[in-house]
């Protein structure tokens, strides 16, 4: 199935980007993508051209990611699997860098299902219906997750801002 | 959020920010925003979020892809690494796809037939016994899902992810440990809104041999069953074959 492999290959940069944003950790992200690609190769005989290869891959990547988080959570007992904290921005950072760090931090504070939804649409440019398919939820649910994610990001960014500024 | 002439809801504002509105609706939203500074401020904040997210992570897609993520290499390595049994399993799937246009490979791996028959009959017997149980259908109920997964993973000595079948309308009821010819077996039970139950029966695969999907039915019960290197599974239920096939496919994909 060389054609399918080529289609998969074309999605790898996007998968890496999405995985990086989900995990906020370059190595972890590539591990995740590798697991996803290996699973795709293993299951490629089961692939049905009902949707896009891209949606199939994102779905698989998310399943693996969620299982990883669940396993970690189990291993650590009550702790929620965390993502490594963002490097604190230097006091002399430009305002735009400050805003980026706030956003990065706020993204990590989102419930995973909101982060997954928002990133599919904003970062990966999926349509609402494609993103809803990837997440196996109705479009209305997708939009409400995105709405809640945006509201929370705004709140988190607002509450971070004064604290960061006072560092200057 | 629907003051102003055209009725504008938050969903429209979201769709506006995500660039998925048609031109007409977009201009309506713009007119609304110019009359509603508070909403306009919200929209601007959301646009800044988009900008920040893309700036944070957008560059990753421009990076060179590491060789370990080369899909052709991964496929090649798997081809080389696959022994005769794996090839047989792959061939069985291909046969199933080619011949039946579906999943069903009839006796493509005849040597396993005895073991499979045992798996399916155990799975069906367990289904009959417990799926009709009202008071104690499971030992550990769905709210303790994490505990259930840990416990059964330990008893079967392999990591089990409990598949989530909610998108197909089936909620997890729970699970139990069962004896299967001196070995432990796990049973997970699911139920739809009408109370219809399906069970997933899992035993460790003793010899790492994989097997493609098969279908069996007996006395109104239907089952799709398969095995990978770690676990052998049978999904059992009294529901139309096609519906069960879809559930089995979902289950298979979620189980590593």
């Amino acid at each position: 199935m060389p054609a399918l492999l080529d289609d998969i290959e074309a999605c790898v940069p996007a998968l890496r980007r999405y995985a990086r944003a989900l995990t906020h950790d370059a190595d972890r992200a590539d591990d995740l993508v590798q697991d996803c690609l290996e699973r795709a190769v293993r299951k490629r005989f089961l692939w049905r051209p009902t949707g896009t290869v891209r949606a199939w891959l994102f779905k698989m990547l998310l399943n693996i990611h969620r299982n990883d988080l669940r396993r970690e959570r189990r291993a650590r007992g009550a702790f929620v699997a965390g993502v490594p904290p963002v490097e604190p921005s230097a006091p002399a950072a430009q305002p735009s860098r400050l805003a980026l760090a706030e956003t990065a931090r706020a993204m990590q504070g989102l419930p995973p299902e909101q982060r997954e939804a928002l990133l599919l649409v904003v970062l990966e440019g999926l349509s609402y219906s494609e993103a809803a398919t990837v997440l196996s939820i109705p479009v209305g649910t997708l939009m409400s997750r995105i709405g809640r994610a945006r509201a929370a990001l705004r709140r988190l960014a607002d509450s971070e801002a004064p604290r960061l500024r006072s560092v200057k | 959020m629907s003051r102003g002439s055209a009725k504008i809801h938050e969903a429209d504002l979201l769709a506006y920010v995500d660039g998925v509105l048609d031109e007409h609706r977009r201009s309506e939203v713009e007119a609304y925003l110019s009359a509603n500074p508070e909403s306009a401020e919200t929209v601007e904040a959301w646009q800044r979020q988009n900008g920040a997210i893309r700036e944070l992570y957008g560059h990753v897609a421009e990076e060179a892809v590491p060789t370990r993520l080369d899909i052709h290499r991964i496929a090649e390595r798997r081809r080389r690494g696959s022994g005769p049994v794996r090839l047989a399993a792959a061939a069985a799937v291909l046969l199933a796809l080619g011949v039946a246009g579906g999943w069903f490979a009839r006796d493509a791996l005849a040597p396993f037939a005895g073991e499979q028959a045992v798996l399916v009959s155990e799975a069906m017997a367990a289904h009959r016994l417990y799926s009709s149980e009202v008071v104690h259908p499971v030992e550990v109920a769905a709210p303790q899902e994490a505990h259930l997964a840990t416990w059964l993973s330990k008893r079967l000595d392999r990591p089990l992810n409990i598949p989530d079948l909610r998108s197909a309308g089936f909620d997890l009821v729970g699970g139990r440990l069962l004896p299967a010819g001196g070995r432990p077996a796990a049973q997970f039970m699911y139920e739809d809104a009408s109370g219809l139950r399906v069970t997933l029966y899992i035993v460790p695969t003793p010899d790492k041999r994989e097997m493609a999907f098969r279908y069996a039915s007996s006395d109104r019960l239907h089952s799709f069953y398969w095995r990978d290197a770690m676990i052998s599974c049978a999904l059992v239920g009294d529901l139309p074959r096609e519906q069960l096939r879809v559930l089995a496919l979902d289950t298979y994909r979620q189980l590593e």
Side-chain angles (χ1 to χ4, degrees), chain B residues 36-139:
Chain B
N36 293 272
E38 203 177 307
S39 294
E41 198 181 309
T42 301
V43 162
E44 272 165 34
W46 290 349
Q47 282 165 335
R48 280 197 301 276
Q49 291 172 355
N50 287 3
I53 289 169
R54 290 178 193 139
E55 201 174 328
L56 276 169
Y57 305 110
H59 63 91
V60 178
E62 315 300 323
E63 292 173 5
V65 173
T67 41
R68 69 171 167 130
L69 302 182
D70 180 334
I71 190 72
H72 294 285
R73 273 172 171 244
I74 292 172
E76 181 55 34
R77 201 175 55 227
R78 183 168 165 83
R79 256 196 301 280
R80 274 189 277 113
S82 52
V85 173
R86 283 197 159 188
L87 285 178
V93 173
L94 282 178
L95 183 72
L97 296 178
V99 174
W103 279 55
F104 171 32
R106 182 194 297 263
D107 296 334
L109 292 172
F112 300 152
E115 249 171 78
Q116 292 157 29
V118 171
L119 171 71
V120 174
S121 70
E122 284 171 353
M124 287 187 171
H127 180 92
R128 286 203 175 89
L129 189 58
Y130 293 113
S131 66
S132 56
E133 180 69 48
V134 177
V135 185
H136 300 297
V138 293
E139 268 176 284

Side-chain angles (χ1 to χ4, degrees), chain A residues 47-64:
Chain A
W47 186 71
R48 248 352 80 77
T50 46
T52 61
V53 172
R54 175 167 79 155
W56 176 59
L57 291 169
F58 274 119
K59 199 169 192 165
M60 211 150 32
L61 184 119
L62 275 169
N63 279 335
I64 297 169

Side-chain angles (χ1 to χ4, degrees), chain A residues 1-2 5-6 8-9 12-14 16-18 20-22 24 26-31 33-35 37-48 56 63-64 67 70-71 74 96-97 99-101 103-104 107-108 118-119 121-123 126-128 136 143-144 146-154, chain B residues 10-12 14-18 20 38 41-43 45-66 68-72 74-75 77-79 86 90 93-94 97 101-103 145-146 149-150 153 159-162 164 167 210 213 245 249 252-256:
Chain A
M1 304 194 174
L5 289 183
D6 289 343
I8 294 173
E9 188 171 31
V12 171
R16 292 187 72 223
R17 176 174 57 201
Y18 187 59
R20 182 86 60 95
L22 279 182
H24 209 82
D27 291 331
R28 243 178 97 125
D30 280 349
D31 287 348
V33 174
Q34 187 173 357
D35 286 348
L37 295 177
E38 279 173 3
R39 188 180 286 194
V41 163
R42 210 160 57 234
K43 306 212 167 174
R44 68 193 189 276
F45 300 109
L46 299 175
W47 186 71
R48 248 352 80 77
W56 176 59
N63 279 335
I64 297 169
N67 286 339
R70 217 175 298 154
R71 224 186 333 263
R74 224 177 282 153
S96 70
R97 293 223 54 85
L100 285 185
T103 305
M107 286 294 294
Q108 292 167 72
L118 186 68
L119 288 170
V121 171
V122 172
L123 189 60
L126 267 62
S127 68
Y128 286 160
S136 306
M143 291 188 72
S144 93
I146 291 177
R148 274 180 288 142
R150 289 198 179 285
L153 276 187
R154 227 182 146 189
Chain B
E10 180 174 312
D12 297 300
L14 284 171
Y16 174 76
V17 170
D18 292 322
V20 296
E38 203 177 307
E41 198 181 309
T42 301
V43 162
W46 290 349
Q47 282 165 335
R48 280 197 301 276
Q49 291 172 355
N50 287 3
I53 289 169
R54 290 178 193 139
E55 201 174 328
L56 276 169
Y57 305 110
H59 63 91
V60 178
E62 315 300 323
E63 292 173 5
V65 173
R68 69 171 167 130
L69 302 182
D70 180 334
I71 190 72
H72 294 285
I74 292 172
R77 201 175 55 227
R78 183 168 165 83
R79 256 196 301 280
R86 283 197 159 188
V93 173
L94 282 178
L97 296 178
W103 279 55
E145 184 178 339
T150 315
S153 298
L160 294 179
N161 302 316
I162 304 179
D164 180 346
S167 62
E210 298 183 43
F213 260 73
R245 190 185 71 81
L249 173 63
Y252 174 72
R253 283 188 172 148
Q254 290 184 52
L255 284 166
E256 176 48 36

Side-chain angles (χ1 to χ4, degrees), chain A residues 68-155:
Chain A
D68 285 350
L69 291 184
R70 217 175 298 154
R71 224 186 333 263
E72 277 168 32
R73 215 176 302 141
R74 224 177 282 153
R76 297 187 198 179
F79 287 102
V80 172
V83 259
V86 187
E87 288 293 308
S89 56
Q94 311 264 321
S96 70
R97 293 223 54 85
L98 208 59
L100 285 185
E102 278 166 25
T103 305
R105 214 187 311 268
M107 286 294 294
Q108 292 167 72
L110 290 180
E113 69 275 9
Q114 292 179 19
R115 190 166 54 229
E116 291 166 3
L118 186 68
L119 288 170
L120 279 179
V121 171
V122 172
L123 189 60
E124 299 306 326
L126 267 62
S127 68
Y128 286 160
S129 72
E130 198 180 4
T133 306
V134 167
L135 297 171
S136 306
I137 53 176
V139 171
T141 308
L142 175 86
M143 291 188 72
S144 93
R145 282 186 194 173
I146 291 177
R148 274 180 288 142
R150 289 198 179 285
L153 276 187
R154 227 182 146 189
R155 250 191 336 269

Side-chain angles (χ1 to χ4, degrees), chain B residues 12-42:
Chain B
D12 297 300
L13 298 183
L14 284 171
Y16 174 76
V17 170
D18 292 322
V20 296
L21 287 183
D22 62 40
E23 208 171 320
H24 174 68
R25 194 64 178 158
R26 196 165 61 233
S27 58
E28 280 182 349
V29 169
E30 275 161 6
Y32 170 83
L33 290 177
S34 59
N36 293 272
E38 203 177 307
S39 294
E41 198 181 309
T42 301

